[in-house]
Amino acid sequence: DIAKLLKTKWEMGLQGGVIIANPAPEEHQLDPGVMNRAIETALADADRQGVKGKAITPFLLAAIEKLTGGRSLEANIELVLSNASLGAAVAVEMAHG
């Protein structure tokens, strides 16, 4: 379906990007409450420590990883693998047709 959508978009001459939402596999998702608390805590820590600009993303990722006992990193790795798999499947479908 994604490949068909992209082909149709390009055939119509439409410009701009396409966002393909692909959530982390369910078995690797963290409880939303746990994640929200970790994010809120990490944001508050960043604010307290004056972390801003380009430094904020690595700070938040490291803080959230620590706060979730490494589970957020595992979920992010699984999301990357899932995205790569989906991208490959779309590419194969587009190549065939």
Side-chain angles (χ1 to χ4, degrees):
D1 288 343
I2 295 169
K4 288 177 188 174
L5 175 120
L6 293 172
K7 183 178 183 221
T8 301
K9 177 188 182 309
W10 292 325
E11 286 174 348
M12 293 176 67
L14 297 174
Q15 306 241 341
V18 174
I19 295 175
I20 300 169
N22 185 34
E26 192 171 333
E27 65 271 16
H28 298 287
Q29 293 178 9
L30 275 69
D31 176 84
V34 170
M35 274 305 296
N36 287 337
R37 283 188 298 278
I39 291 167
E40 288 172 9
T41 300
L43 285 169
D45 290 347
D47 188 50
R48 219 175 4 265
Q49 295 179 36
V51 180
K52 297 179 183 185
K54 292 190 285 185
I56 193 76
T57 298
F59 177 91
L60 292 175
L61 289 173
I64 293 167
E65 178 187 0
K66 185 175 180 182
L67 290 163
T68 62
R71 292 177 304 166
S72 63
L73 177 59
E74 292 171 16
N76 280 335
I77 289 169
E78 292 299 328
L79 178 59
V80 168
L81 293 173
S82 178
N83 285 343
S85 178
L86 177 61
V90 171
V92 167
E93 193 63 35
M94 290 181 75
H96 291 158

